[in-house]
Amino acid sequence: MCRSIRTLRPPATPEVTEDDIRAAALQYVRKVSGFRAPAAHNQEVFEQAVDAVAAATHDLLAGIRVRGGGSGPRTRPD
């Protein structure tokens, strides 16, 4: 598990930016590939992987329906 990737879906993150999605995709690809920065001969495939993961993440977040969403934050009784 990539511990530095934070949860991007509501309510954990109310507003997710494209930069948030791209950063998560980059962290994922870095973890899977084992490279923080790829060699020049791997740069293109590395970037393609980041783009693909970012697109899949965007689609996932766009399609997720959170149960009870829209009711605002939950509060616990004292």
Side-chain angles (χ1 to χ4, degrees), residues 9-65:
R9 70 165 176 80
T13 306
E15 294 184 31
V16 179
T17 66
E18 291 299 322
D19 287 342
D20 294 330
I21 292 172
R22 181 104 181 141
L26 178 60
Q27 282 301 107
Y28 177 80
V29 172
R30 285 177 173 168
K31 185 70 163 186
V32 170
S33 70
F35 297 115
R36 184 184 181 318
H41 62 276
N42 288 326
Q43 184 68 40
E44 184 177 347
V45 71
F46 192 89
E47 287 299 320
Q48 288 173 352
V50 172
D51 292 342
V53 171
T57 301
H58 187 272
D59 292 346
L60 174 66
L61 293 175
I64 287 178
R65 294 188 318 165

